[in-house]
Amino acid sequence: MLDYIIVGLGLAGISFCETLEKHKKTFKVIADDSQKSSTVAGGLYNPVILKRFTISWNANEQLDIALPFYKDLENKLAVQLDYKIPVLRKFASIEEQNLWFEAADKPLLQPFLSTKILQNKNHGIDAPLGYGQVLGTGRIDTKQLQESYESYLLTKEGLLKESFVFKDLQFQENYISYQSIKARNIVFATGYGLKENPYFNYLPLNGTKGELLTIKAPSLKEKNVIKSSVFIIPLGVDLYRVGATYKWKDKTNVPTEEAKEELLEKLDSFLKCDYELVDHVAGIRPTVADRRPLVGRHPIHQNMYVLNGFGSRGVMIAPMASEKLLQFIENDEPLHKDMDIARFTKKYFKD
Ligand SMILES: Cc1cc2nc3c(=O)[nH]c(=O)nc-3n(C[C@H](O)[C@H](O)[C@H](O)COP(=O)(O)OP(=O)(O)OC[C@H]3O[C@@H](n4cnc5c(N)ncnc54)[C@H](O)[C@@H]3O)c2cc1C
C-alpha cells in the first residue's frame, strides 16, 4: 500500500512528489506527455505584474517557499535550475516612469521595484526611456527540471510513463486501487488535461495557449531579461526566448504561423540587431476564471485531490501549493480559501 498516486509530472506533479519525499511518504507517478506547459514555459519567477505594477497574489509566501525548494532540487539532481537574472521593464512613456515610482513607494512593492531608472546601453535594443528593474527575479530551467526529475523517478521505479485510464480507478473503503497499485490517496496534477478528468471537470479551468520562440542573436549580448511588448529571456550561448502569446480559443499544443508573426512583429519593434529563428513551441497554461489555483479535496471522494490552476505563474505557486495541500491532507490544516476548490462545490452539485 502506497501513500499516494500522483497523475501528471509538470511543475505541479514534481513539486508534490518532492514535498512527499521531504515528508517521507511513498508514491508512484503516472504521467504522459499530452500537456506541454511546464516543458515550454519561460520559467520566470517575478513577483510583480508588469502591466499594472502590482504585486502578484501571495507572492511573498510563494517566493519564501519556492527559492529554497529549487535550491534543494539542484543539490539533489546535481543540475543547475535557478538562474538569478534581473528583469528590466522597458518604459514606453514618461507617464509609465511616473507610475513605476508611485508603485515603488508602496510598502508591498518596495522590496521588488528599484527606484533608479536604468539607461539602456545595449545598441541592439531600442529603449530611449530606459528601464525599471524588478529585484529578486530569476528563471527556473523547467525543461531541465522535468527531464532530470523524470530520470530520477525512473531510476527508483517511481514513474509509469503512460496515460491515466479512468475506468481502472476504483474506490475501496479506505484506499484507492488503480490497476495493480493500491494507495491511500490520489492527486491529479494534470494541467489542462484536467478537462478530460470526469471527477474534476466541473472546475472552471479555461486554459490559455501560449507560444514562445527561441532566437539566436550573436551580437545582442544581453544578460538581463527585457520586458517590452514581449519578453526576451537570455538562455546563454547567444540564445534567447521570446514570448509569449495569449490565446483563448485554440487548445492544442501546436505552434502556429499566426503566433510566430505576432511575436516577430513585436520583437522587431524594439530589437535592432540581426537574429535567426531556431525554435518555436506552444503549450496550454492552466488558467482559471478567478485567477486563483485549484487545490483541494473532491466534494464526494474523500481521498481524491486536485493540484492545478497555476496559470502563468507555476514556477512560484507550485512549491507553496504542494506544501499546503500535503498539510491539508495529512494534518487537516485548512487551505487558503482563495485556492481551495471548496469555492466551487455548489457548481459540482448543480452541474
Ligand atoms: C508559453 C508559456 C510560457 C510560460 N511562462 C511561464 C513563466 O515564465 N513562469 C511561470 O511561472 N509560468 C510560466 N508558464 C506557466 C507554467 O508553464 C504553468 O503554470 C505550469 O507549467 C503548470 O504546471 P502543471 O504541472 O499544472 O501542468 P503541466 O505542465 O501541463 O503538466 C501536466 C502534466 O500532466 C500530464 N497529464 C495530463 N493528462 C494526463 C493523463 N490523462 N494521464 C497522464 N498524464 C497526464 C501532462 O502530460 C503533464 O506531464 C508558461 C506557460 C506557457 C504555455
Side-chain angles (χ1 to χ4, degrees):
M1 174 80 75
L2 294 169
D3 292 318
Y4 287 84
I5 295 171
I6 299 154
V7 187
L9 198 61
L11 283 170
I14 292 172
S15 297
F16 198 70
C17 290
E18 261 317 278
T19 308
L20 289 177
E21 291 223 320
K22 279 189 190 147
H23 292 270
K24 309 239 175 313
K25 301 289 176 196
T26 55
F27 63 90
K28 192 147 218 145
V29 179
I30 298 154
D32 62 17
D33 288 327
S34 56
Q35 291 301 324
K36 303 278 176 211
S37 193
S38 301
T39 322
V40 306
L44 293 181
Y45 57 88
N46 158 28
V48 181
I49 298 171
L50 290 172
K51 240 190 200 166
R52 301 189 288 268
F53 305 151
T54 51
I55 192 144
S56 63
W57 173 75
N58 185 245
N60 283 309
E61 186 180 20
Q62 287 167 28
L63 278 177
D64 285 349
I65 296 178
L67 296 182
F69 178 89
Y70 292 115
K71 178 99 222 135
D72 288 350
L73 266 173
E74 283 183 325
N75 292 334
K76 174 172 178 163
L77 303 171
V79 287
Q80 183 170 2
L81 300 171
D82 186 357
Y83 294 80
K84 310 265 180 215
I85 318 175
V87 172
L88 305 187
R89 165 64 153 82
K90 187 187 136 172
F91 291 124
S93 62
I94 302 286
E95 195 199 349
E96 269 194 357
Q97 288 180 343
N98 293 336
L99 288 173
W100 177 277
F101 285 116
E102 258 175 49
D105 252 356
K106 294 184 182 151
L108 270 178
L109 283 159
Q110 230 168 30
F112 301 116
L113 296 186
S114 159
T115 47
K116 267 193 272 169
I117 291 185
L118 289 183
Q119 295 309 320
N120 174 41
K121 298 197 180 102
N122 190 331
H123 297 299
I125 299 175
D126 181 35
L129 296 175
Y131 303 106
Q133 180 178 345
V134 189
L135 308 169
T137 55
R139 173 176 77 89
I140 298 296
D141 187 340
T142 54
K143 189 160 184 253
Q144 173 70 261
L145 170 60
Q146 265 197 318
E147 286 168 7
S148 304
Y149 208 81
E150 197 177 298
S151 308
Y152 165 73
L153 285 185
L154 285 170
T155 319
K156 55 177 245 169
E157 294 182 6
L159 170 64
L160 298 174
K161 281 217 72 177
E162 57 198 42
S163 297
F164 190 81
V165 182
F166 283 93
K167 69 174 176 46
D168 292 349
L169 179 65
Q170 296 193 345
F171 299 94
Q172 314 297 345
E173 192 152 331
N174 287 317
Y175 67 94
I176 266 165
S177 67
Y178 176 75
Q179 298 173 352
S180 62
I181 310 171
K182 290 187 173 62
R184 281 180 238 286
N185 299 294
I186 184 162
V187 175
F188 288 100
T190 52
Y192 190 66
L194 181 99
K195 287 284 176 204
E196 310 300 321
N197 184 325
Y199 298 98
F200 284 111
N201 60 6
Y202 71 96
L203 293 170
L205 189 80
N206 294 336
T208 308
K209 182 168 181 172
E211 300 193 35
L212 277 166
L213 307 176
T214 305
I215 59 164
K216 191 170 179 83
S219 64
L220 182 56
K221 304 291 177 225
E222 181 57 57
K223 294 218 160 17
N224 302 299
V225 171
I226 305 292
K227 167 70 173 110
S228 180
S229 43
V230 280
F231 277 98
I232 300 183
I233 307 170
L235 303 176
V237 290
D238 296 329
L239 295 174
Y240 301 84
R241 282 251 167 86
V242 177
T245 54
Y246 289 79
K247 297 280 182 266
W248 291 268
K249 278 195 186 140
D250 177 6
K251 304 294 190 194
T252 70
N253 292 318
V254 183
T256 63
E257 202 54 32
E258 186 197 347
K260 182 172 104 184
E261 275 167 26
E262 178 186 326
L263 291 173
L264 290 178
E265 195 181 316
K266 287 182 172 166
L267 180 67
D268 290 343
S269 71
F270 67 102
L271 192 72
K272 299 295 164 205
C273 64
D274 291 338
Y275 64 85
E276 176 197 345
L277 182 61
V278 293
D279 198 15
H280 179 185
V281 289
I284 311 294
R285 302 172 185 90
T287 48
V288 185
D290 66 3
R291 295 167 180 249
R292 295 291 176 264
L294 296 169
V295 182
R297 180 181 280 135
H298 189 270
I300 289 180
H301 300 293
Q302 292 297 294
N303 38 9
M304 186 189 265
Y305 299 87
V306 67
L307 183 63
N308 209 315
F310 300 163
S312 51
R313 294 193 166 259
V315 167
M316 278 174 60
I317 300 178
M320 179 278 296
S322 298
E323 179 63 35
K324 300 290 175 193
L325 178 60
L326 190 72
Q327 294 304 336
F328 172 67
I329 301 172
E330 297 289 336
N331 300 326
D332 258 343
E333 281 184 22
L335 285 166
H336 195 304
K337 66 175 177 20
D338 282 1
M339 67 178 180
D340 189 342
I341 57 164
R343 68 194 190 277
F344 299 115
T345 300
K346 267 193 197 144
K347 191 168 157 33
Y348 175 80
F349 290 106
K350 213 168 79 195
D351 292 357

